[in-house]
Amino acid sequence: TALGGKRVAIAEEFRVGGTCVVRGCVPKKFMVMASEVSHALEIAEGYGWSFDSAKFDWPTFLEAKDVEIARLSGIYAANLGKAGVDLIHGRAVLKDAHTVEIAGKGEDGGPLVITAEKILIATGGRPWVPADLPGVEHAITSEEAFHLPELPKRILIAGGGYIAVEFAGIFAGLGVETTLIYRGPNILRGFDDDVRAHLAGEIEKRGIKVILGCQHTSLEKTATGIVNHLENGMALETDVVMFATGRVPHVKDLGLETAGVALNDDGAIKVDAFSKTTADNIWAIGDVTDRMNLTPVAIREAVAFHETVWRDTPTAFDYEAVATAVFSQPPVGVVGLSESEARHVCKGEVDVYVARFRPMKYAFTGSDERVLMKLVVDATSQKVVGVHIVGPEAPEMIQLAAIAVKAGLTKAQWDATCAVHPTMAEELVTLKEKQSPTTSAG
Ligand code: NDP
């Protein structure tokens, strides 16, 4: 029996750790950190350092990263063992609401059949690409980007969401000629408009070519690379093309129908506020339910499931004021409402405070990069309902700002907090001038 006194088994067809550890957040962040070094070197030169033979070796990095990912995955597997969980390496398929079959894992190599009182589905998501686009089979997704046999000289990334923007930064920082193409008017749809505009400008300063309002018409493999034929008539050859056009819940061939587990209109497992599916004894959490596709959210959904189902304390995770970070270069940190969301939600007036400044760190460099900090305040209650930061260390800052937003503190309470000087974050407690409504982005 496991820690809670229950008999628990987990079926995992690949490596333990899931998207986050194996092909998401964790290896991505290592890639970002490898990439950011080039920028740090540029800054260092302004401070008097010189690096005559600085060079980056992709295979060395890949190996170090893979060793670390294997170590982390091993720790997760070991922790399951310590907790008393049976880990079965195989693919689980539901046969009915209480029966799971795992091919090849039974005696004599037949299927292993397990019955369970309760079942939890956490199969995550998979990259999605427009399958009807001619030549799309020549493109990779983020999954392959973690294992490219060599660093390309030229890459084109399609999409304007988290993954597209993060990988564009990674490759550009590593010296790859990088083009980002996005169908909409600006990257990061759903984020605050000032953040979107600011980031688009900043990533161009870092050398990424951004093409907006445009899509592929086809991809064509040639002897020297892949030609991207675009709607605007351009034909752009690159060595690698990566599609980051979204992810879809991983529900295929799980036997959901047989078990009475229904999907919603978007193809995700339909769940109630307590993560219960349409089958009475089956729950689902994480990306497979497509609620808020972030690792810490999935963990909270798991905790709420445990409280609800095993501790008799019905608990629904509260999705309000969940902070998030985009590990672009520079990165973005956001918590709460964008200005336009706030104008809808806070029926009354919204106060907006914006600061744009050059980080002190760049004083000796030729860089004209700017940091953006923006507070969105409900004018009636004076609560700070949104914080938006684009700039170095934004993800670290937003975690702390999120405490104040989650606690519902007012602008006056933020201002009563004394600054830490000299920092970038001190701007957050010293913003005095309200932005006039005419200049604020909608
Ligand atoms: P997103 O949903 O964030 O972005 C998908 C992008 O692809 C959008 O820009 C979308 O455009 C575009 N797109 C969709 N369909 C097409 C199409 N047919 N042709 C061209 N473009 C298309 O997905 P990602 O794959 O970037 O990431 C998936 C999710 O994973 C994120 O939303 C996030 O929840 C999570 N994630 C979180 C990270 C973090 O916390 N740092 C990092 C990476 C992922 P449009 O906007 O016009 O719809």
Side-chain angles (χ1 to χ4, degrees):
T1 61
L3 287 178
K6 310 289 175 192
R7 291 181 62 202
V8 181
I10 290 186
E12 168 59 58
E13 64 177 323
F14 191 55
R15 290 165 81 178
V16 176
T19 299
C20 175
V21 175
V22 179
R23 57 186 98 75
C25 327
V26 176
K28 178 274 308 286
K29 182 121 187 217
F30 283 126
M31 289 175 86
V32 169
M33 291 191 285
S35 169
E36 279 176 333
V37 172
S38 63
H39 193 237
L41 291 180
E42 279 170 31
I43 297 168
E45 282 176 350
Y47 282 83
W49 291 88
S50 58
F51 306 90
D52 297 331
S53 57
K55 62 179 199 297
F56 173 72
D57 186 52
W58 175 250
T60 304
F61 165 72
L62 279 194
E63 195 194 327
K65 177 205 60 144
D66 289 343
V67 166
E68 178 62 8
I69 299 306
R71 189 184 73 88
L72 292 172
S73 178
I75 289 174
Y76 277 80
N79 284 346
L80 289 177
K82 279 185 214 152
V85 174
D86 283 330
L87 178 60
I88 303 154
H89 280 286
R91 180 158 214 284
V93 176
L94 289 159
K95 289 294 153 186
D96 61 45
H98 288 280
T99 312
V100 165
E101 203 176 88
I102 301 165
K105 293 290 158 180
E107 283 168 28
D108 313 329
L112 175 67
V113 178
I114 300 178
T115 57
E117 185 193 335
K118 295 181 167 67
I119 294 172
L120 178 67
I121 304 171
T123 48
R126 287 287 176 272
W128 177 87
V129 296
D132 51 355
L133 177 70
V136 77
E137 67 277 9
H138 302 306
I140 62 162
T141 67
S142 58
E143 313 240 304
E144 294 81 32
F146 290 116
H147 304 284
L148 287 176
E150 58 185 288
L151 194 62
K153 292 206 164 40
R154 306 161 297 173
I155 193 167
L156 181 140
I157 299 177
Y162 282 81
I163 297 179
V165 171
E166 292 182 340
F167 275 89
I170 287 168
F171 286 113
L174 294 176
V176 180
E177 193 184 312
T178 305
T179 306
L180 182 74
I181 152 172
Y182 171 55
R183 63 180 177 181
N186 209 347
I187 55 172
L188 291 183
R189 183 166 62 84
F191 282 71
D192 185 274
D193 285 334
D194 281 337
V195 168
R196 301 170 70 190
H198 190 88
L199 185 69
E202 294 300 313
I203 66 174
E204 284 190 312
K205 288 181 194 166
R206 297 261 188 130
I208 297 170
K209 184 172 174 190
V210 181
I211 303 176
L212 298 171
C214 189
Q215 299 191 69
H216 279 91
T217 51
S218 66
L219 288 82
E220 180 196 351
K221 189 149 178 54
T222 62
T224 47
I226 300 162
V227 179
N228 296 273
H229 295 281
L230 307 181
E231 274 175 353
N232 63 4
M234 279 172 81
L236 214 128
E237 191 185 71
T238 58
D239 306 306
V240 173
V241 180
M242 173 175 155
F243 268 69
T245 42
R247 294 175 60 88
V248 288
H250 188 37
V251 292
K252 200 163 170 273
D253 301 330
L254 286 179
L256 298 179
E257 229 169 83
T258 336
V261 175
L263 302 182
N264 65 21
D265 293 342
D266 298 324
I269 293 182
K270 192 173 168 178
V271 286
D272 67 12
F274 303 99
S275 296
K276 188 152 104 176
T277 70
T278 48
D280 250 354
N281 67 312
I282 303 182
W283 285 260
I285 54 169
D287 290 6
V288 76
T289 63
D290 197 18
R291 285 174 283 182
M292 197 180 269
N293 300 331
L294 301 170
T295 300
V297 170
I299 292 170
R300 292 300 178 106
E301 287 168 355
V303 171
F305 158 77
H306 183 251
E307 288 293 324
T308 303
V309 175
W310 301 111
R311 296 193 153 180
D312 218 13
T313 320
T315 306
F317 176 65
D318 172 13
Y319 295 86
E320 220 168 276
V322 171
T324 178
V326 184
F327 291 93
S328 45
Q329 296 177 44
V332 177
V334 170
V335 62
L337 307 177
S338 68
E339 182 180 341
S340 64
E341 282 169 344
R343 292 197 187 283
H344 282 104
V345 175
C346 317
K347 299 278 185 303
E349 287 291 297
V350 172
D351 294 341
V352 173
Y353 299 82
V354 177
R356 289 186 173 85
F357 58 93
R358 190 162 87 147
M360 190 177 170
K361 198 189 212 173
Y362 298 161
F364 304 154
T365 70
S367 164
D368 64 343
E369 278 191 33
R370 293 280 184 282
V371 171
L372 170 77
M373 290 195 180
K374 176 169 178 176
L375 296 187
V376 180
V377 179
D378 178 341
T380 314
S381 68
Q382 277 302 303
K383 283 183 184 170
V384 176
V385 291
V387 182
H388 307 269
I389 307 173
V390 184
E393 310 305 339
E396 301 291 341
M397 285 186 249
I398 209 67
Q399 177 68 84
L400 303 179
I403 300 171
V405 173
K406 190 76 187 167
L409 301 188
T410 62
K411 177 70 166 63
Q413 287 170 310
W414 281 63
D415 293 348
T417 307
C418 190
V420 178
H421 184 74
T423 64
M424 289 180 282
E426 67 183 306
E427 291 291 327
L428 293 171
V429 295
T430 54
L431 284 165
K432 295 283 178 285
E433 289 287 314
K434 261 186 242 175
Q435 187 171 278
S436 65
T438 46
T439 58
S440 68

